[in-house]
Amino acid sequence: MTSIAALAAVAGELEAAFPDPWLRAFSVKANDVPAIVARLGRLGLAANVVSRGEWAAARAAGIPNAGVTLEGIGKSDGELRAAVRAAAAGDPLRWVAVESPEELDALAALAARAGLGAGGRPPLEVLVRLNPDVQPETHRGLAVGRGTAKFGMTETELTAAVAALPADGPIRARGIHLHVGSQLGAVDAWRDAVRRGLAVLSLVRAGRPAFDTLDVGGGFPVGDAGTVPRPARFAEEAAALIGALPEDRRPARLAVEPGRFLVAAAGTIVASVLHVRERGDGERVVVIDAGMTELIRPALYGATHPMRALTSLGAPVHPGAAPSSAARVDGPICESTDTFGSAELPPLHRGDLVAIAETGAYAASMASTYNGRPAAPQVLLEPNGTLTAARSRGRVRFAG
Ligand code: LLP
């Protein structure tokens, strides 16, 4: 279930920190339910996608190609061709962020074959992804801005790849894309990365005036007030770095592409209890009907999400209503890593409801059908308290 009021609150906070002309693009990988992308679109968000599937989700959400940026660590010929085809049809994506010199060559060849940049057809607009080579303050599995990570180009690779592009060819290099990591616990690595991005941008721009765009990626964290930096803190750092540059060296276009910050807190998984048992060591084990197929983050990153019991009407069980004690909450999947960890919960029986909070990001979009499970239904909680169906329960896939 996703709260629309919560989405609106964080979209407003993001806009206050990064107002126009910053482009604010929602990173669809965090939540690819079209109804949710559509609500964010109405709140002024563009869409950042990594595949034709996510691009289709953005289109289904009513976001035009001009509001879609395509990136991704490994794009297939089919994906590159689709971006070229849209440009050739006069309906280009806002830009394509390219990961490597080899990918740039492949894209340039496809764009040349489609006649882009010739005969009155505009060239394809491209950003090149810089590996910022910083030490992100986050879980190792989320620290994509490290120098050893597979993401982006070194400064040397990037400048050589752009220098090799003819100034009036099928591809127009418009600037730099970077991403430091997700759930950043501090602003320092991000500031280092933005500083590096600005330096490389102005170096290349000296010989190529159209190279004027900096997309600083996502990574804004979620957490209790005071425990993590808010977007305004990141914006302050960016403003200081940009403000210190001479006016003619400041990027003409700027973008952020957060995922988690926009959707995490708005989402709740509502599960029901299947059975409860005591283990030999006295531990109470509650098995619920949601598992790693709906929320893989605990198994993958050791992530914890707040859990509480709900009444049959969906209201939180009042803490004084029943004595709570520790319980381990596990999913129904045949894997011992299918556990959500420990929570203080009242006595529970089959059919009782348990809510797992802050599950709007990287839950539904990372869901699987393992163990033959259909995708969970998606419900929107409207600001006036009504519920709207956003996606019905998926179907079980059978082989053959
Ligand atoms: N831009 C790029 C290039 C990215 O790779 C990502 C996330 C984002 C933006 C959005 O980052 P965010 O604002 O959501 O931190 N599955 C992991 C998170 C993986 C993030 C991958 N890239 C999790 O559940 O924590």
Side-chain angles (χ1 to χ4, degrees):
M1 183 186 71
T2 301
S3 159
I4 300 304
L7 287 186
V10 286
E13 182 177 344
L14 182 74
E15 183 174 357
F18 294 95
D20 299 346
W22 280 86
L23 177 75
R24 297 172 300 280
F26 169 56
S27 188
V28 173
K29 61 173 82 75
N31 191 318
D32 56 4
V33 175
I36 294 171
V37 182
R39 296 305 180 101
L40 288 170
R42 279 192 236 161
L43 293 165
L45 276 299
N48 166 245
V49 304
V50 292
S51 64
R52 273 191 294 179
E54 286 189 359
W55 182 0
R59 294 306 305 252
I63 303 202
N65 282 353
V68 175
T69 62
L70 172 69
E71 48 108 3
I73 176 65
K75 303 179 199 70
S76 67
D77 281 351
E79 269 145 5
L80 298 180
R81 215 176 283 124
V84 166
R85 253 199 317 264
D91 186 20
L93 295 171
R94 165 92 44 141
W95 60 64
V96 177
V98 171
E99 278 284 335
S100 70
E102 202 169 358
E103 189 177 88
L104 188 58
D105 286 347
L107 185 59
L110 290 168
R113 211 173 305 151
L116 298 185
R121 286 200 175 132
L124 189 73
E125 303 257 315
V126 157
L127 300 191
V128 277
R129 181 159 175 183
L130 176 70
N131 178 316
D133 190 10
V134 291
Q135 301 294 328
E137 303 90 344
T138 187
H139 185 279
R140 213 180 145 68
L142 306 179
V144 303
R146 279 177 295 122
T148 51
K150 65 183 172 183
F151 303 90
M153 298 181 230
T154 63
E155 182 179 332
T156 315
E157 278 172 340
L158 186 152
T159 48
V162 175
L165 285 175
D168 55 355
I171 298 253
R172 182 184 286 145
R174 285 303 300 266
I176 287 179
H177 175 226
L178 60 85
H179 175 65
V180 172
S182 209
Q183 185 63 14
L184 298 172
V187 297
D188 304 70
W190 192 85
R191 177 183 47 226
D192 290 348
V194 173
R195 186 186 290 120
R196 212 156 282 176
L198 287 166
V200 179
L201 188 80
S202 64
L203 184 77
V204 178
R205 194 178 178 187
R208 217 174 250 271
F211 201 78
D212 63 359
T213 304
L214 180 64
D215 177 345
V216 297
F220 308 141
V222 294
D224 292 339
T227 62
V228 289
R230 310 293 303 187
R233 243 331 251 112
F234 290 89
E236 242 173 65
E237 298 294 338
L241 292 169
I242 294 166
L245 295 173
E247 227 162 280
D248 60 339
R249 286 177 51 196
R250 295 178 191 163
R253 305 191 305 175
L254 289 156
V256 282
E257 50 189 36
R260 182 190 322 271
F261 178 76
L262 287 165
V263 285
T268 305
I269 292 175
V270 180
S272 58
V273 173
L274 297 174
H275 52 88
V276 182
R277 281 172 297 186
E278 292 259 325
R279 288 285 127 187
D281 56 2
E283 189 177 31
R284 181 167 56 130
V285 178
V286 177
V287 174
I288 58 175
D289 71 350
M292 66 197 307
T293 39
E294 288 70 41
L295 178 67
I296 201 171
R297 305 193 67 256
L300 215 48
Y301 318 109
T304 55
H305 290 259
M307 291 179 279
R308 64 199 305 182
L310 301 178
T311 67
S312 57
L313 290 175
V317 172
H318 191 270
S324 289
S325 62
R328 194 177 84 212
V329 181
D330 288 354
I333 305 302
C334 312
E335 298 277 345
S336 46
T337 52
D338 184 32
T339 178
F340 298 120
S342 176
E344 285 291 312
L345 293 169
L348 291 169
H349 305 280
R350 185 175 177 88
D352 289 343
L353 299 178
V354 170
I356 312 176
E358 294 163 25
T359 46
Y362 304 108
S365 59
M366 294 181 82
S368 79
T369 55
Y370 182 43
N371 278 199
R373 289 166 65 81
Q378 296 286 331
V379 173
L380 304 184
L381 172 62
E382 303 291 349
N384 67 6
T386 59
L387 296 174
T388 320
R391 190 163 79 184
S392 46
R393 188 180 297 280
R395 289 172 188 220
V396 182
R397 289 177 306 149
F398 296 102

